[in-house]
PDB file of all heavy atoms in Angstrom:
ATOM      1  N   ASP S 139     -37.758  -2.743 -32.562  1.00  0.00           N
ATOM      2  CA  ASP S 139     -37.814  -3.694 -33.694  1.00  0.00           C
ATOM      3  C   ASP S 139     -39.222  -4.378 -33.733  1.00  0.00           C
ATOM      4  O   ASP S 139     -39.839  -4.481 -34.763  1.00  0.00           O
ATOM      5  CB  ASP S 139     -36.686  -4.631 -33.527  1.00  0.00           C
ATOM      6  CG  ASP S 139     -36.828  -5.925 -34.417  1.00  0.00           C
ATOM      7  OD1 ASP S 139     -36.656  -5.718 -35.641  1.00  0.00           O
ATOM      8  OD2 ASP S 139     -37.178  -6.934 -33.908  1.00  0.00           O
ATOM      9  N   ARG S 140     -39.627  -4.906 -32.618  1.00  0.00           N
ATOM     10  CA  ARG S 140     -40.928  -5.703 -32.487  1.00  0.00           C
ATOM     11  C   ARG S 140     -42.017  -4.709 -32.894  1.00  0.00           C
ATOM     12  O   ARG S 140     -43.017  -5.107 -33.535  1.00  0.00           O
ATOM     13  CB  ARG S 140     -41.210  -6.243 -31.143  1.00  0.00           C
ATOM     14  CG  ARG S 140     -40.182  -7.401 -30.773  1.00  0.00           C
ATOM     15  CD  ARG S 140     -40.326  -8.599 -31.765  1.00  0.00           C
ATOM     16  NE  ARG S 140     -39.632  -8.383 -33.002  1.00  0.00           N
ATOM     17  CZ  ARG S 140     -39.828  -9.015 -34.074  1.00  0.00           C
ATOM     18  NH1 ARG S 140     -40.975  -9.727 -34.221  1.00  0.00           N
ATOM     19  NH2 ARG S 140     -39.196  -8.832 -35.177  1.00  0.00           N
ATOM     20  N   PHE S 141     -42.097  -3.394 -32.427  1.00  0.00           N
ATOM     21  CA  PHE S 141     -43.038  -2.507 -32.731  1.00  0.00           C
ATOM     22  C   PHE S 141     -43.297  -2.201 -34.249  1.00  0.00           C
ATOM     23  O   PHE S 141     -44.231  -2.268 -34.869  1.00  0.00           O
ATOM     24  CB  PHE S 141     -42.983  -1.170 -32.020  1.00  0.00           C
ATOM     25  CG  PHE S 141     -43.782  -0.137 -32.456  1.00  0.00           C
ATOM     26  CD1 PHE S 141     -45.170  -0.196 -32.163  1.00  0.00           C
ATOM     27  CD2 PHE S 141     -43.324   0.960 -33.235  1.00  0.00           C
ATOM     28  CE1 PHE S 141     -45.990   0.791 -32.639  1.00  0.00           C
ATOM     29  CE2 PHE S 141     -44.138   2.059 -33.585  1.00  0.00           C
ATOM     30  CZ  PHE S 141     -45.528   1.842 -33.355  1.00  0.00           C
ATOM     31  N   ILE S 142     -41.990  -2.078 -34.860  1.00  0.00           N
ATOM     32  CA  ILE S 142     -42.034  -1.766 -36.373  1.00  0.00           C
ATOM     33  C   ILE S 142     -42.532  -3.009 -37.041  1.00  0.00           C
ATOM     34  O   ILE S 142     -43.223  -2.918 -38.008  1.00  0.00           O
ATOM     35  CB  ILE S 142     -40.641  -1.303 -36.782  1.00  0.00           C
ATOM     36  CG1 ILE S 142     -40.183   0.015 -36.135  1.00  0.00           C
ATOM     37  CG2 ILE S 142     -40.549  -1.226 -38.237  1.00  0.00           C
ATOM     38  CD1 ILE S 142     -38.761   0.352 -36.404  1.00  0.00           C
ATOM     39  N   ALA S 143     -42.123  -4.211 -36.617  1.00  0.00           N
ATOM     40  CA  ALA S 143     -42.541  -5.492 -37.317  1.00  0.00           C
ATOM     41  C   ALA S 143     -44.006  -5.581 -37.242  1.00  0.00           C
ATOM     42  O   ALA S 143     -44.603  -6.214 -38.219  1.00  0.00           O
ATOM     43  CB  ALA S 143     -41.835  -6.671 -36.691  1.00  0.00           C
ATOM     44  N   ILE S 144     -44.620  -5.226 -36.195  1.00  0.00           N
ATOM     45  CA  ILE S 144     -46.118  -5.391 -36.069  1.00  0.00           C
ATOM     46  C   ILE S 144     -46.905  -4.279 -36.639  1.00  0.00           C
ATOM     47  O   ILE S 144     -47.941  -4.438 -37.259  1.00  0.00           O
ATOM     48  CB  ILE S 144     -46.442  -5.623 -34.526  1.00  0.00           C
ATOM     49  CG1 ILE S 144     -45.886  -6.895 -34.010  1.00  0.00           C
ATOM     50  CG2 ILE S 144     -47.932  -5.565 -34.325  1.00  0.00           C
ATOM     51  CD1 ILE S 144     -46.027  -7.019 -32.512  1.00  0.00           C
ATOM     52  N   TYR S 145     -46.298  -2.992 -36.401  1.00  0.00           N
ATOM     53  CA  TYR S 145     -47.030  -1.817 -36.919  1.00  0.00           C
ATOM     54  C   TYR S 145     -47.010  -1.647 -38.482  1.00  0.00           C
ATOM     55  O   TYR S 145     -47.917  -1.314 -39.046  1.00  0.00           O
ATOM     56  CB  TYR S 145     -46.475  -0.636 -36.300  1.00  0.00           C
ATOM     57  CG  TYR S 145     -47.133   0.724 -36.610  1.00  0.00           C
ATOM     58  CD1 TYR S 145     -48.313   1.029 -36.181  1.00  0.00           C
ATOM     59  CD2 TYR S 145     -46.466   1.593 -37.563  1.00  0.00           C
ATOM     60  CE1 TYR S 145     -49.094   2.240 -36.537  1.00  0.00           C
ATOM     61  CE2 TYR S 145     -47.094   2.760 -37.836  1.00  0.00           C
ATOM     62  CZ  TYR S 145     -48.340   3.093 -37.384  1.00  0.00           C
ATOM     63  OH  TYR S 145     -49.070   4.206 -37.862  1.00  0.00           O
ATOM     64  N   ASN S 146     -45.850  -1.909 -39.033  1.00  0.00           N
ATOM     65  CA  ASN S 146     -45.637  -1.831 -40.480  1.00  0.00           C
ATOM     66  C   ASN S 146     -44.874  -2.968 -41.114  1.00  0.00           C
ATOM     67  O   ASN S 146     -43.720  -2.697 -41.460  1.00  0.00           O
ATOM     68  CB  ASN S 146     -44.890  -0.487 -40.779  1.00  0.00           C
ATOM     69  CG  ASN S 146     -45.085   0.074 -42.195  1.00  0.00           C
ATOM     70  OD1 ASN S 146     -45.602  -0.741 -42.991  1.00  0.00           O
ATOM     71  ND2 ASN S 146     -44.880   1.272 -42.437  1.00  0.00           N
ATOM     72  N   PRO S 147     -45.427  -4.133 -41.082  1.00  0.00           N
ATOM     73  CA  PRO S 147     -44.726  -5.350 -41.532  1.00  0.00           C
ATOM     74  C   PRO S 147     -44.163  -5.274 -42.959  1.00  0.00           C
ATOM     75  O   PRO S 147     -43.176  -5.829 -43.223  1.00  0.00           O
ATOM     76  CB  PRO S 147     -45.561  -6.572 -41.307  1.00  0.00           C
ATOM     77  CG  PRO S 147     -46.904  -5.937 -41.357  1.00  0.00           C
ATOM     78  CD  PRO S 147     -46.788  -4.543 -40.757  1.00  0.00           C
ATOM     79  N   LEU S 148     -44.855  -4.531 -43.776  1.00  0.00           N
ATOM     80  CA  LEU S 148     -44.535  -4.464 -45.212  1.00  0.00           C
ATOM     81  C   LEU S 148     -43.272  -3.685 -45.370  1.00  0.00           C
ATOM     82  O   LEU S 148     -42.398  -3.896 -46.460  1.00  0.00           O
ATOM     83  CB  LEU S 148     -45.683  -3.896 -46.030  1.00  0.00           C
ATOM     84  CG  LEU S 148     -47.051  -4.719 -46.114  1.00  0.00           C
ATOM     85  CD1 LEU S 148     -48.028  -3.997 -46.930  1.00  0.00           C
ATOM     86  CD2 LEU S 148     -46.674  -6.119 -46.613  1.00  0.00           C
ATOM     87  N   ARG S 149     -43.032  -2.692 -44.611  1.00  0.00           N
ATOM     88  CA  ARG S 149     -41.820  -1.910 -44.718  1.00  0.00           C
ATOM     89  C   ARG S 149     -40.706  -2.207 -43.636  1.00  0.00           C
ATOM     90  O   ARG S 149     -39.859  -1.462 -43.471  1.00  0.00           O
ATOM     91  CB  ARG S 149     -42.221  -0.431 -44.658  1.00  0.00           C
ATOM     92  CG  ARG S 149     -43.144   0.006 -45.865  1.00  0.00           C
ATOM     93  CD  ARG S 149     -43.091   1.529 -45.919  1.00  0.00           C
ATOM     94  NE  ARG S 149     -41.917   2.092 -46.329  1.00  0.00           N
ATOM     95  CZ  ARG S 149     -41.246   2.957 -45.616  1.00  0.00           C
ATOM     96  NH1 ARG S 149     -41.639   3.355 -44.310  1.00  0.00           N
ATOM     97  NH2 ARG S 149     -40.083   3.501 -45.969  1.00  0.00           N
ATOM     98  N   TYR S 150     -40.900  -3.286 -42.995  1.00  0.00           N
ATOM     99  CA  TYR S 150     -40.124  -3.679 -41.872  1.00  0.00           C
ATOM    100  C   TYR S 150     -38.517  -3.671 -42.240  1.00  0.00           C
ATOM    101  O   TYR S 150     -37.762  -3.020 -41.664  1.00  0.00           O
ATOM    102  CB  TYR S 150     -40.557  -5.040 -41.346  1.00  0.00           C
ATOM    103  CG  TYR S 150     -39.652  -5.620 -40.280  1.00  0.00           C
ATOM    104  CD1 TYR S 150     -39.369  -4.966 -39.089  1.00  0.00           C
ATOM    105  CD2 TYR S 150     -39.119  -6.828 -40.508  1.00  0.00           C
ATOM    106  CE1 TYR S 150     -38.610  -5.540 -38.094  1.00  0.00           C
ATOM    107  CE2 TYR S 150     -38.284  -7.484 -39.520  1.00  0.00           C
ATOM    108  CZ  TYR S 150     -38.013  -6.692 -38.301  1.00  0.00           C
ATOM    109  OH  TYR S 150     -37.171  -7.304 -37.348  1.00  0.00           O
ATOM    110  N   THR S 151     -38.248  -4.506 -43.280  1.00  0.00           N
ATOM    111  CA  THR S 151     -36.846  -4.595 -43.810  1.00  0.00           C
ATOM    112  C   THR S 151     -36.350  -3.336 -44.454  1.00  0.00           C
ATOM    113  O   THR S 151     -35.136  -3.068 -44.503  1.00  0.00           O
ATOM    114  CB  THR S 151     -36.692  -5.789 -44.687  1.00  0.00           C
ATOM    115  OG1 THR S 151     -37.657  -5.740 -45.707  1.00  0.00           O
ATOM    116  CG2 THR S 151     -36.855  -7.091 -43.911  1.00  0.00           C
ATOM    117  N   ALA S 152     -37.346  -2.521 -44.989  1.00  0.00           N
ATOM    118  CA  ALA S 152     -36.907  -1.313 -45.586  1.00  0.00           C
ATOM    119  C   ALA S 152     -36.514  -0.202 -44.620  1.00  0.00           C
ATOM    120  O   ALA S 152     -35.668   0.591 -44.792  1.00  0.00           O
ATOM    121  CB  ALA S 152     -38.080  -0.696 -46.444  1.00  0.00           C
TER     122      ALA S 152
END
Side-chain angles (χ1 to χ4, degrees):
D139 164 75
R140 291 299 82 207
F141 169 67
I142 295 174
I144 293 172
Y145 180 75
N146 198 346
L148 297 178
R149 299 195 64 240
Y150 173 59
T151 53

